[in-house]
Amino acid sequence: MKILIVGSGGREHALAWKISQSKHCKRLYCAPGNGGLGQIAELVPIEESHISELAAWAGEKKIDLTVVGPEVPLSLGIVDEFESRSLNIYGPNKKAAEIERSKIFAKEFMARHRIPTGHFKIADTPENALKILNSGEFSFPVVIKADGLAGGKGVSICANIKRAEDTINDLMVKKKFGSAGERILIEEYLKGRELSFIVITDGVRVQPLVTTMDHKAAYDGDKGPNTGGMGAISPSPFVSEKLFSQIMDEIIFPTITRLLEEGRRFKGTLYAGLMVTEEGPKVLEYNCRFGDPETQAQMLRLESDLVEILMSIVEEDLLREEIKWSPKPSGCVVLASGGYPLRYETNKLIAGLEEVSKVPGLVIFHAGTKLVEGHFYTSGGRVLNVCASELTLTQAMKKIYEYVPAIYFEGMFYRKDIGAMKEGK
Ligand code: AMP
Ligand code: GLY
């Protein structure tokens, strides 16, 4: 088969790595890809948001399967575009992807179907938002969210009314995230342990992936600003069998079934961002795609053929046999550019990568890298993912942390407590 991967991060490199091991994969392409992806796939210079161009290219090349990593092309309707040309593509269509694109849609959907989530109100003008805040309905801290995709930056946890007023001003008056701030959500602040719960589904049948835990804060001890994720481990030490069944029964199955009933059959990866509160798990948000860096940790443990799994979803016949996973835990540490997730510099030469890439048992997935005249340079905030899977999580993390210091680029930083969990949220 000829397979195309859309995206350019560590998640896409991990998917490509696993797909390249499939007996079905004869040629692998990636659009637009990164430095590391260029070593296992042919790079196609088309941006991930140029969905018609991608579909036209895939049609011309007779691509047998396209796998979409990020949410933006999914929200733009890349799946509808490909399907209208009878091209196989893995991911939810535009109507189903609405569950991530619009936080207001997701909240109203959950309220309609009594899927556990925090209390919320919607405001469509700044006056309206202030009236809700001053009504005393919400205590502080309160959570304020832009409705549309804002690259993970549209969420503010406001400790007091002043902060809340500033946030409303930024979103609705200054329009910091453009039209994403036309309507906003005001939400109850949920206390508890945060959890990513990821399943794949053909819209009817569901298979959970192995559990995983992301480390979202930029610095050790869960300090600093929230990022896309600074590292991940699998399995998650915080999902007991009881909690697992509760999440499947109260959240995952109702979500998939109700979407189907509403004419939004969801085919692809459903990622529920949860808060496990004293009252049980509640949904913070849905994502319509694989996690990054959760996928890096999960792919290291996948033993089944990924192409067969993805094709069974495209063909609406998710394998009835269980997906096979290695029992060995895995970990992933993200090496990031100084300043990330705020301002950071790029174009820094990466040293030591070639040597570390040869260490048996270590797997390195690239994110923000590019290859120029035989040398890798940084090109993004999250640059590299150093991963390993060993008999125990401690051994896996020890191996990763032994070799990370042998990689260097100016400003490089990483968390030193991935998998340590003492202060994990
Ligand atoms: P979201 O993109 O909606 O998942 O929000 C980003 C992050 O903000 C989450 O990963 C949580 O850490 C935090 N967050 C979002 N909503 C809430 C909430 N209602 N209560 C507490 N924390 C929240
Ligand atoms: N690691 C968080 C995400 O993929 O959304």
Side-chain angles (χ1 to χ4, degrees), residues 272-327:
L274 307 175
M275 190 68 88
V276 183
T277 70
E278 280 176 1
E279 294 163 12
K282 295 188 179 184
V283 179
L284 291 176
E285 63 159 355
Y286 292 107
N287 295 315
C288 62
R289 50 167 177 80
F290 287 102
D292 187 346
E294 290 94 326
T295 305
Q296 290 81 310
Q298 289 170 321
M299 287 304 122
L300 249 66
R301 298 187 56 204
L302 180 62
E303 288 179 343
S304 302
D305 187 312
L306 182 58
V307 173
E308 286 174 14
I309 296 171
L310 300 177
M311 272 312 288
S312 71
I313 289 178
V314 171
E315 288 166 352
E316 301 184 356
D317 185 23
L318 181 56
L319 285 181
R320 282 153 206 268
E321 65 187 86
E322 297 254 315
I323 298 173
K324 290 197 185 64
W325 301 97
S326 157

Side-chain angles (χ1 to χ4, degrees), residues 89-313:
I89 182 161
Y90 175 85
N93 64 17
K94 192 173 180 179
K95 268 179 101 178
E98 187 75 357
I99 199 127
E100 173 164 2
R101 196 206 57 80
S102 168
K103 288 183 189 288
I104 291 181
F105 168 79
K107 276 290 206 181
E108 291 186 319
F109 170 83
M110 288 184 267
R112 260 197 310 282
H113 300 297
R114 298 187 205 291
I115 295 170
T117 188
H119 177 60
F120 70 98
K121 275 274 158 69
I122 298 159
D124 50 12
T125 63
E127 294 74 32
N128 198 221
L130 289 174
K131 205 167 135 200
I132 294 168
L133 283 171
N134 289 319
S135 72
E137 188 176 337
F138 293 89
S139 50
F140 288 95
V142 71
V143 184
I144 299 184
K145 297 182 180 176
D147 181 38
L149 296 178
K153 299 188 185 78
V155 176
S156 300
I157 295 169
C158 306
N160 50 46
I161 185 78
K162 172 77 180 58
R163 200 48 230 292
E165 283 170 358
D166 290 347
T167 303
I168 291 168
N169 200 34
D170 281 348
L171 293 177
M172 304 189 94
V173 182
K174 292 190 193 152
K175 303 198 189 309
K176 211 165 136 187
F177 299 112
S179 60
E182 270 167 19
R183 292 201 302 157
I184 61 164
L185 268 177
I186 299 176
E187 265 183 44
E188 170 193 5
Y189 176 78
L190 296 175
K191 277 204 251 354
R193 185 181 293 286
E194 209 175 324
L195 209 76
S196 329
F197 198 88
I198 306 169
V199 303
I200 55 171
T201 171
D202 62 4
V204 177
R205 280 183 294 267
V206 182
Q207 292 240 19
L209 302 186
V210 272
T211 62
T212 161
M213 181 188 168
D214 186 11
H215 294 59
K216 283 203 167 123
Y219 312 128
D220 287 6
D222 283 331
K223 303 272 177 358
N226 251 0
T227 70
M230 292 297 293
I233 54 168
S234 176
S236 162
F238 301 115
V239 186
S240 63
E241 259 177 54
K242 183 167 165 264
L243 179 59
F244 185 94
S245 310
Q246 196 182 2
I247 294 170
M248 289 299 284
D249 292 344
E250 293 176 12
I251 294 169
I252 301 297
F253 289 130
T255 301
I256 306 284
T257 311
R258 296 293 163 303
L259 280 171
L260 182 66
E261 284 168 7
E262 289 197 359
R264 296 175 190 267
R265 181 175 186 157
F266 190 103
K267 286 165 55 177
T269 309
L270 182 72
Y271 169 144
L274 307 175
M275 190 68 88
V276 183
T277 70
E278 280 176 1
E279 294 163 12
K282 295 188 179 184
V283 179
L284 291 176
E285 63 159 355
Y286 292 107
N287 295 315
C288 62
R289 50 167 177 80
F290 287 102
D292 187 346
E294 290 94 326
T295 305
Q296 290 81 310
Q298 289 170 321
M299 287 304 122
L300 249 66
R301 298 187 56 204
L302 180 62
E303 288 179 343
S304 302
D305 187 312
L306 182 58
V307 173
E308 286 174 14
I309 296 171
L310 300 177
M311 272 312 288
S312 71
I313 289 178

